[in-house]
Amino acid sequence: GHEFVFKDSHTQEEVQWHTIEHHTAMPIGGVVDPYVVDEGRNFTKEIVSTLHDEWSRHKRIKHTFSSLGFRKGRLPDDM
């Protein structure tokens, strides 16, 4: 298989060696747990902000059709 040597980018010290013997995905470095909730997050504020953004977005009209039909001749955004 292929042999890999991982080095610290600052010190050039070899920190890990690995031989790939089969298809794999291998994380290098610190791994962040996606299920750990940051205590400083304000979910209520994030939810209200997302609701406001989505509500504002739905009011914007985006024409994706022309006299030729849907998606065949798109009109400019300002129309």
Side-chain angles (χ1 to χ4, degrees):
H2 297 295
E3 295 181 6
F4 292 90
V5 177
F6 301 96
K7 294 182 179 182
D8 184 306
S9 61
H10 297 289
T11 65
Q12 296 303 312
E13 175 188 3
E14 295 180 357
V15 293
Q16 187 174 355
W17 302 265
H18 189 75
T19 301
I20 304 294
E21 298 174 1
H22 50 79
H23 295 288
T24 186
M26 187 174 113
I28 302 297
V31 179
V32 178
D33 185 354
Y35 300 105
V36 174
V37 176
D38 179 10
E39 297 297 328
R41 285 181 76 177
N42 182 344
F43 286 106
T44 303
K45 184 177 178 181
E46 289 182 37
I47 292 168
V48 169
S49 175
T50 301
L51 176 64
H52 178 265
D53 292 343
E54 291 297 320
W55 191 252
S56 297
R57 190 177 76 142
H58 99 279
K59 294 178 183 178
R60 282 183 262 153
I61 298 171
K62 183 176 180 180
H63 298 283
T64 57
F65 59 89
S66 70
S67 58
L68 301 173
F70 289 94
R71 301 246 182 232
K72 291 186 178 178
R74 194 167 168 329
L75 293 174
D77 287 336
D78 63 347
M79 303 264 325

